[in-house]
């Protein structure tokens, strides 16, 4: 019996295209589209992903990296205001904490920019600002494409089946567990 060796990459909807994602859609529909893009992105990187049943959990997905499973909330931004994109960092008027999620993943749709923020970086804020332009030195820029934070335990033991991007800004910032000094406290 032959193994299925199809290496065709998953392709998500082009959320930047007005024809595939018109602005007249409700915020709920835009959120659902961002969740679908997240699902495609994480599966293409090699993560195992589960969606909790119902809508009562404070997180959108459970992401399994092999060594650990994470509770992940996905948020998205579609419009730039005052040179920045804003993402709400709370659910039902309650700020996210380590008691209800492990990561907040923000997707800035027009820029196709993913930010993988550990809950410690969110730190109870109600809103987060992103400036995904070249040369940005904003607070959250080091978490852009920082999928390694979910792929590895904080001791640097990473799942080799997960594709870590070489342009991960967490690596350059020295916060990636794959390169972190064991003496450095976890994020």
């Amino acid at each position: 019996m032959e193994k299925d060796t199809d290496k065709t990459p998953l392709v998500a909807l082009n959320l930047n295209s007005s024809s595939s994602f018109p602005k007249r859609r409700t915020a709920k529909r835009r959120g659902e589209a961002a969740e679908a893009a997240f699902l495609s992105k994480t599966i293409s990187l090699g993560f195992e992903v589960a969606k909790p049943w119902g809508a009562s959990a404070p997180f959108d997905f459970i992401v399994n990296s092999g060594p650990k499973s994470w509770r992940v909330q996905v948020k998205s931004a579609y419009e730039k205001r005052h040179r920045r994109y804003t993402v709400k960092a709370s659910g039902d008027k309650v700020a996210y904490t380590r008691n209800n999620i492990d990561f907040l993943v923000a997707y800035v749709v027009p820029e196709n920019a993913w930010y993988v923020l550990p809950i410690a970086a969110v730190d109870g804020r109600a809103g987060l600002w992103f400036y995904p332009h070249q040369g940005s030195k904003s607070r959250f820029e080091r978490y852009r494409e920082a999928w390694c934070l979910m792929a590895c335990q904080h001791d640097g033991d990473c799942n080799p089946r997960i594709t870590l991007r070489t342009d991960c800004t967490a690596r350059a910032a020295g916060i990636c567990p794959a390169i972190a000094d064991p003496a450095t406290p976890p994020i």
Side-chain angles (χ1 to χ4, degrees):
M1 177 184 259
E2 289 184 38
K3 272 190 163 178
D4 182 14
T5 57
D6 182 13
K7 299 284 185 185
T8 306
L10 291 173
V11 178
L13 288 172
N14 179 0
L15 297 181
N16 299 324
S17 167
S18 60
S19 63
S20 67
F21 204 78
K23 287 193 180 223
R24 69 179 180 273
R25 299 266 172 108
T26 65
K28 181 163 179 58
R29 295 288 292 180
R30 288 192 304 264
E32 290 167 348
E35 287 182 17
F38 172 83
L39 184 62
S40 177
K41 177 77 171 181
T42 52
I43 289 173
S44 72
L45 292 172
F47 290 99
E48 295 173 350
V49 184
K51 179 88 171 136
W53 178 256
S56 59
F59 49 89
D60 293 320
F61 293 97
I62 299 167
V63 176
N64 185 341
S65 65
K68 186 148 174 126
S69 292
W70 308 101
R71 300 165 299 170
V72 178
Q73 177 65 36
V74 177
K75 294 292 187 174
S76 58
Y78 290 85
E79 295 179 21
K80 185 191 289 188
R81 290 191 181 135
H82 308 292
R83 298 180 355 150
R84 67 179 179 236
Y85 293 90
T86 304
V87 169
K88 185 175 136 185
S90 61
D92 295 329
K93 299 179 181 128
V94 177
Y96 294 119
T97 69
R98 66 184 70 240
N99 293 330
N100 50 28
I101 67 171
D102 300 305
F103 285 92
L104 186 144
V105 174
Y107 183 36
V108 179
V109 176
E111 309 290 335
N112 193 27
W114 292 95
Y115 293 85
V116 182
L117 297 119
I119 190 59
V122 175
D123 198 51
R125 289 177 175 82
L128 309 173
W129 294 345
F130 297 93
Y131 299 85
H133 55 276
Q134 190 169 359
S136 174
K137 295 189 185 330
S138 70
R139 169 188 312 236
F140 300 119
E141 197 58 30
R142 65 187 188 157
Y143 298 107
R144 186 191 280 210
E145 296 291 342
W147 301 102
C148 64
L149 297 177
M150 283 195 287
C152 307
Q153 297 182 78
H154 291 292
D155 62 6
D157 184 20
C158 301
N159 184 337
R161 294 182 311 230
I162 296 174
T163 306
L164 298 177
R165 292 181 53 151
T166 56
D167 64 342
C168 169
T169 50
R171 287 180 176 209
I175 60 172
C176 178
I179 61 168
D181 179 4
T184 305
I187 302 171

